[in-house]
Every structure is written in structure tokens, then in C-alpha cells.
């Protein structure tokens, strides 16, 4: 009995001192994610072992929404947060949260495909001439509202004339298809389903907001302040993942994403993969436009200059390391 | 212990929550001002109160309160009235109770917010779906309490009424309703609270106006002072709703509300 207790005690002590051999000296990091195609580069970076190449032990942490996870990033519960432009990011920085944008994670490009679009119901599509949009819906996420408002204006409609109602993504698609809504903004993979069924797409967001920043990688205090060298290694891994993603629908990328998203390969082949930049740079001008929109709505404390939210050194370092190795 | 000492103890104990809350608020304010709490997560109470006053003065908060109440009140009525009626039926009829009890046991535990997508298929994406979910939430506590209220009536009352040849209507008005009233009113209070809860949840998921939608927007944009201000409003609304129903209970069933003197 005593021997068993001693053995168990020693085993517990060994366990407490570090984990399996070989992993003890690798820094452990937590990267948030949501199960969306916009997170493709994160899945590829992880699956291809680019974090391990940099000597990092990364845990992918599933999140319900990235915009509402900013406090977790600021408090160090997450080290990296990939996510869309959000007033919460800028408000947190303005109020002193130790977080910064470090790299691009997606933008609308005029020549590329569009993974978001403003769609209309069959009845509206069939109507001759300009028909009033009475009821429309888009997502609750501020950036999607921004994109949808711009799309409506692009189509020549007045926002004040539309009865805007918030409907969850899946229900929004059904509501437009069944004619309960006149129109709405939807994203992939429902956009591809809609196109396959011959649905009418009125405005593609890459035409409405060409070059606009959609999504970014943000770092928390550990990678920015406590251990920037670790941050640089993470940046190299992430940019390598983006570049692998930018090779397009290769069998390897398809396999990784089919597994991560639980989509079938045919669907992955058809959907639009959100464009990401090979150099990790962001479009600060478009971010300013988004901030001004959010400020006007009362969602933002202040419009921040790029120096306040953007830490370019990480992307620059990653780019120089990866370009040197080419 | 003398009567005076006992009274003083009662008075003192009433101050305890106020003292605890005051200490918590002063500590919170001090910590926020000294920078001991991260500003992006904890606004000071004075900032929260000033945000609350501003949002009330601008009318924005009232717009959200009105939208929530215009869902809670119809939802409560549409759920509680059928719940009450079916509760009477199930309380009086063992056959009906035996027939519907398994269905009740199966449907009652389903989180009401989870049926929102299903409701939307039938009622569309507008107000009707949100009110329908709220009314489903109100239905069950009312049904269960009404049924329990009738079943706890001493059978002797039914026997006496029967011996005196009371009609069904008389039985209902003289025995069933007065006998079950305290539990029915408790059910109404429960139903009101659950309706408020589910309405706010539905607004978080699917509404552009309403307290739930306002809470979510505040969190989505990390305006924590607005988040706390809206939570204060929701809490006040809950207290007001409960107090109103308690008043109704004291008016309709005073014998149940009055606390026994010791």
C-alpha cells in the first residue's frame, strides 16, 4: 500500500514538472478560431506543422465568435486572435488593452472571387425595373453590417427605406430563398449553394469594397510585450500558412480544410476562398473608413491612427525570413 | 431576548444587503479610478450610471425597453392563458393528465430558445417568432402550477360541493379557483420571469431592437459601461415585474401572502 502511494506520488510529481518528454521546452500558445472558411490559413498552418517548425506547441481554441473574444486576448487567455474588423478591437486598444493587429488575414480583391454577396429573393429577381427592397437582413457582426450597407448603397437603395431585421445566418438564407425577406447578405458556403440553385446575386462585396480589409491577426500581451521573439516565430508560421493557403485548391489544402470544416471536397472546390495577402500587410485606409462608419453609429470611442493598432514589425520580420529562404 | 432587541436585529439585518452593495461599489469605483482594474473590462460605477442616465435621456434605452416589453407582455398572455386553461383541465381530469403528462415531460425540459429556428420556419423572421417562443416559455410554468394548485386541494371540498349538488361552474368558481389561486399566481410569477429571460435570449439571437439586442451590441463592440447599464435595466425590469405580480397576489390571495406572526 505504502509502495503504491510512493509510486503514485512520484508519478504525480513528474507529471506536474512537465508533460511528455520532448514537449517540455516548447512554448505553449493558444490560438482562437471559429469553424469558418475565413480561418483556412490557421487550419493549414496548424495541420502542416508550421508552428512546430518554429518550435511552438499550439493549441487551437474553438470560439463562438472572435469579436467577443477580445477580452480573452487582452487578458492573455489567448495569444493569437484571428478575426474580422470589429469595433471591439479598436475600443479595447483605445481603452488601453495590450493588443495589436500584426498581420492581414483577408481582404476583398477586385479581381478575385467574392465570398460574401447581397442576394435577393426569386420574386425580387423576377420583377421588372427597380423594385423596392422592403425587408432585408444581414449579420449582427458590425463588419458585415458595414459591408451590407455599402452594398445597398452601391445598388442605389436608401437604407432608411428598408425594414432591416437581424436574422441568424442559416435562417437568413432560407428566408431570402422562400421570399420572407427581399434580400440579405450571405457568405460561404451558402453563397455557393445559392448560386448552384440559380439564385440572383445583386452585389458582390469585392466589387462594392475593393481592396478593403476584412480580417486580421491580432496578438495579445505575451507575444507583443513579454516575449516579442516568440511573436516573431508565430508570425513566420502564420505567414507561411497564408502562403500555403494562397497556392489555392491543391489536394493538400483541400484535404486539410475538408477535415477542419467538415465540408465535402466538391463544395470546397466550388466555394470562393477569401483572398489573403502574401506579404501580411494591411490596408490602413480601408480600416480608417470602417472606423469612421462605426464612430458615426456610436459603436466606437474614437478613430485610431494606424500607429495605435498596427504593429508591422512582426509581418515585416516574417516576410524577410520567408523571402530569404526562397 | 426582549422584543426591542429582536426588532433591532430585524432592522439591522435589512441594512446588510445595502451595506454589502455599498462596500462593493466603493471598492469597485476606487479600483477603477486607481487603474487596478482593466478599463476595457470594468468601467467604474459612476461611468456606468452616467451612461445609463444618458441612454435614458436620449430615449435610446426606452426604445429598447419598449421593444422588450412589447414581446414580454403578449408572450406572457399568449402562453399563460392556455397554460392556465390546460392546467385546470389536467388538474381536474385524471384521464387528461395521464394522456398528456408524458408529452409534457418530454417537451418541458427543451430549452425554449432552441426551438426558435423551428418557430421561424412556420412564423417567419419577424416579431411573431420572438413572441411565440416567449409564450411557449410562459406556458409550462403556468400549466404545471395550475395543475399542482388543483391537485393539492383537499378532496373533502369536492365531496362537500358534490353533496350540496354544486354545478360544474359553481365547483370551478367556489372550490377550484380559490383553492388553487396561490399556486396559480406563483406560476404566473414564474412564467413572467421565464418569459423575460427567454425574450432577452431571443433578442440576443435575433432582433435589431430590444434589451437583449442592446446587451449583445454592447458586448460585440466592447462598450462595457453600456453593457452594465443595460444589465441594470434588465434587473430593474425583473424586480418591477415580480413586485407587480406580488401586489396582484396580495390583492387576490391575501391569506397566502400574509406572513404568520410569531
Amino acid at each position: 500500500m505504502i509502495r503504491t502511494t510512493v509510486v503514485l506520488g512520484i508519478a504525480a510529481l513528474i507529471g506536474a514538472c512537465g508533460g511528455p518528454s520532448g514537449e517540455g521546452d516548447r512554448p505553449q500558445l493558444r490560438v482562437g478560431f471559429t469553424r469558418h472558411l475565413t480561418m483556412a490559413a490557421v487550419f493549414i498552418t496548424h495541420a502542416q506543422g508550421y508552428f512546430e517548425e518554429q518550435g511552438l506547441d499550439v493549441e487551437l481554441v474553438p470560439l463562438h465568435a472572435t469579436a467577443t473574444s477580445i477580452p480573452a486576448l487582452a487578458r492573455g487567455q489567448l495569444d493569437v486572435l484571428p478575426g474580422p474588423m470589429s469595433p471591439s478591437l479598436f475600443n479595447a486598444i483605445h481603452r488601453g488593452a495590450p493588443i495589436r493587429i500584426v498581420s492581414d488575414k483577408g481582404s476583398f480583391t477586385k479581381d478575385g472571387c467574392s465570398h460574401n454577396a447581397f442576394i435577393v429573393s426569386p420574386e425580387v429577381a423576377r420583377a421588372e425595373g427597380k423594385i423596392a427592397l422592403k425587408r432585408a437582413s444581414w449579420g449582427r457582426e458590425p463588419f458585415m453590417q458595414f459591408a451590407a450597407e455599402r452594398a445597398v448603397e452601391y445598388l442605389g437603395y436608401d437604407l432608411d427605406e428598408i425594414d432591416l431585421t437581424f436574422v441568424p445566418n442559416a435562417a437568413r438564407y432560407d428566408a431570402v430563398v422562400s421570399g420572407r425577406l427581399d434580400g440579405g447578405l450571405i457568405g460561404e458556403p451558402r453563397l455557393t449553394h445559392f448560386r448552384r440553385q440559380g439564385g440572383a446575386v445583386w452585389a458582390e462585396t469585392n466589387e462594392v469594397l475593393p481592396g478593403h480589409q476584412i480580417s486580421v491577426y491580432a496578438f495579445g500581451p505575451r507575444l507583443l510585450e513579454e516575449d516579442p521573439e516568440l511573436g516573431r516565430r508565430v508570425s513566420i508560421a502564420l505567414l507561411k500558412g497564408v502562403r500555403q493557403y494562397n497556392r489555392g485548391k491543391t489536394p493538400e489544402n483541400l484535404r486539410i480544410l475538408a477535415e477542419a470544416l467538415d465540408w465535402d471536397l466538391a463544395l470546397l472546390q466550388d466555394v470562393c476562398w477569401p483572398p489573403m495577402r502574401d506579404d501580411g500587410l494591411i490596408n490602413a485606409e480601408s480600416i480608417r473608413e470602417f472606423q469612421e462608419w462605426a464612430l458615426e453609429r456610436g459603436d466606437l470611442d474614437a478613430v485610431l491612427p494606424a500607429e495605435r493598432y498596427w504593429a508591422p514589425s512582426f509581418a515585416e520580420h516574417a516576410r524577410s525570413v520567408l523571402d530569404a529562404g526562397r | 431576548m426582549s422584543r426591542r432587541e429582536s426588532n433591532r436585529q430585524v432592522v439591522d439585518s435589512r441594512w446588510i444587503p445595502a451595506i454589502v452593495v455599498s462596500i462593493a461599489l466603493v471598492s469597485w469605483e476606487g479600483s477603477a479610478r486607481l487603474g487596478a482594474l482593466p478599463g476595457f473590462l470594468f468601467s467604474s460605477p459612476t461611468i456606468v450610471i452616467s451612461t445609463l442616465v444618458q441612454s435614458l435621456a436620449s430615449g435610446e434605452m426606452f426604445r429598447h425597453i419598449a421593444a422588450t416589453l412589447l414581446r414580454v407582455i403578449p408572450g406572457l398572455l399568449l402562453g399563460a392563458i392556455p397554460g392556465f386553461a390546460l392546467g385546470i383541465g389536467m388538474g381536474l381530469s385524471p384521464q387528461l393528465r395521464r394522456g398528456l403528462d408524458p408529452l409534457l415531460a418530454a417537451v418541458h425540459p427543451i430549452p425554449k430558445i432552441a426551438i426558435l429556428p423551428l418557430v421561424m420556419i412556420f412564423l417567419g423572421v419577424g416579431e411573431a417568432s420572438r413572441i411565440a417562443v416567449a409564450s411557449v416559455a410562459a406556458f409550462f410554468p403556468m400549466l404545471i402550477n395550475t395543475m399542482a394548485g388543483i391537485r393539492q386541494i383537499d378532496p373533502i371540498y369536492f365531496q362537500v360541493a358534490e353533496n350540496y349538488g354544486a354545478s360544474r361552474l359553481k365547483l370551478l368558481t367556489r372550490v377550484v379557483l380559490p383553492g388553487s389561486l396561490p399556486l396559480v399566481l406563483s406560476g404566473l410569477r414564474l412564467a413572467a420571469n421565464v418569459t423575460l429571460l427567454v425574450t432577452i435570449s431571443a433578442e440576443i439571437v435575433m432582433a435589431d431592437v430590444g434589451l437583449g439586442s442592446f446587451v449583445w451590441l454592447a458586448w460585440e463592440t466592447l462598450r462595457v459601461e453600456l453593457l452594465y447599464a443595460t444589465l441594470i435595466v434588465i434587473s430593474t425590469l425583473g424586480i418591477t415585474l415580480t413586485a407587480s405580480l406580488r401586489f396582484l397576489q396580495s390583492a387576490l390571495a391575501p391569506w397566502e401572502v400574509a406572513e404568520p406572526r410569531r
Side-chain angles (χ1 to χ4, degrees), chain A residues 67-68 70-71 74-75 86-88 91-92 95 97 135 140-142 164-168 171 175 180-181 297-299, chain B residues 38-41 43 120-126 130 203-208 213 216-217 219-225:
Chain A
T68 49
I70 297 287
R75 302 286 291 163
S86 162
S88 58
N91 280 341
R95 294 173 185 212
R135 298 196 79 193
R140 190 184 285 282
E141 307 83 12
L164 184 65
T165 184
F166 289 104
V167 178
R180 288 194 182 103
L181 286 173
R297 280 165 44 103
D299 288 348
Chain B
F40 59 93
L41 285 182
S43 288
M120 278 162 57
I121 292 171
F122 296 106
L123 298 178
V125 292
R130 293 167 203 137
E203 287 172 346
I204 286 176
V205 177
M206 192 195 78
D208 51 345
S213 139
W216 188 253
L217 178 71
W219 186 233
E220 177 99 38
T221 55
L222 210 63
R223 286 178 297 161
V224 283
E225 65 285 355

Side-chain angles (χ1 to χ4, degrees), chain A residues 313-326:
Chain A
S313 64
F314 294 96
E316 282 164 6
H317 175 77
R319 202 166 58 243
S320 66
V321 169
L322 292 177
D323 289 348
R326 271 182 175 172

Side-chain angles (χ1 to χ4, degrees), chain A residues 173-242:
Chain A
Y173 170 81
D174 290 333
V176 174
V177 170
S178 63
R180 288 194 182 103
L181 286 173
D182 292 332
L185 191 82
I186 60 163
E188 294 289 16
R190 292 187 185 88
L191 183 56
T192 294
H193 283 298
F194 189 72
R195 288 185 205 273
R196 281 175 179 173
Q197 290 172 6
V201 173
W202 270 18
E204 299 196 331
T205 39
N206 63 334
E207 290 170 4
V208 177
L209 294 165
H212 210 290
Q213 193 71 44
I214 312 167
S215 183
V216 291
Y217 284 112
F219 278 0
R222 183 177 170 202
L223 302 183
L224 287 173
E225 294 165 0
E226 292 163 28
D227 194 348
E229 178 48 36
L230 194 58
R232 284 189 272 277
R233 282 153 65 187
V234 174
S235 286
I236 294 168
L238 290 173
L239 191 61
K240 200 169 176 185
V242 167

Side-chain angles (χ1 to χ4, degrees), chain B residues 28-53:
Chain B
W28 181 2
E29 180 75 33
S31 309
R33 280 176 189 258
L34 291 170
L37 293 172
F40 59 93
L41 285 182
F42 299 97
S43 288
S44 68
T46 48
I47 292 177
V48 172
I49 297 299
S50 127
T51 305
L52 177 60
V53 170

